[in-house]
Amino acid sequence: MRYLYMLSVCLVTILILNACSTDAAKTKSQVLNIPNIDQYNTLFVQGVDKNGVSSESATSFITDHNQLQAFIRKMDKMEVEQPSGKEIADKIKELNKKGNYIFVLSDKKTMDNKV
């Protein structure tokens, strides 16, 4: 009987600790919705070179309609997780490392209207 009691207490304790976990509160899953998908005609892609600097060689403007639509189809309605504030700060520090990219959809190459 004592063994059953101890097992019950351990299971309840584990359940309570698991429910109080901060990992569940850190990430919120949501669906990425790209508005006005038919109005974009430019995709700006900027990466960084091996020195951690963005340059013309690591920057590209894509205006091909088929490539734009393929990008939008892949990204639209994608399930993403919203990281915690600390995770965002850590990711911002990594933006200058090779292999990280910024993507901007726009209706103009100057990106001064709908972005």
Side-chain angles (χ1 to χ4, degrees):
M1 183 71 173
R2 183 175 165 105
Y3 176 74
L4 186 59
Y5 177 74
M6 289 302 291
L7 182 63
S8 308
V9 169
C10 287
L11 286 175
V12 169
T13 304
I14 290 171
L15 287 173
I16 290 172
L17 290 175
N18 192 29
C20 295
S21 172
T22 58
D23 290 340
K26 282 184 180 179
T27 57
K28 296 178 183 176
S29 180
Q30 51 184 282
V31 175
L32 179 66
N33 289 312
I34 299 176
N36 309 314
I37 59 175
D38 56 335
Q39 295 180 9
Y40 300 110
N41 59 25
T42 303
L43 173 63
F44 173 71
V45 181
Q46 183 178 33
V48 293
D49 61 15
K50 62 184 175 187
N51 298 321
V53 178
S54 61
S55 62
E56 286 188 36
S57 64
T59 302
S60 177
F61 283 95
I62 299 171
T63 56
D64 180 62
H65 180 74
N66 293 331
Q67 289 180 331
L68 277 168
Q69 291 305 313
F71 176 80
I72 290 172
R73 276 193 306 274
K74 286 181 182 179
M75 299 304 289
D76 195 33
K77 309 297 184 219
M78 178 183 283
E79 188 171 329
V80 294
E81 290 183 356
Q82 183 176 352
S84 68
K86 183 182 180 323
E87 289 175 315
I88 290 174
D90 292 342
K91 291 293 182 186
I92 289 173
K93 292 175 187 173
E94 292 180 12
L95 284 178
N96 290 336
K97 292 184 179 176
K98 187 175 181 178
N100 290 303
Y101 296 89
I102 296 173
F103 299 95
V104 179
L105 284 166
S106 179
D107 65 342
K108 292 183 179 179
K109 190 173 182 177
T110 57
M111 294 182 283
D112 60 357
N113 195 21
K114 188 171 297 220
V115 178

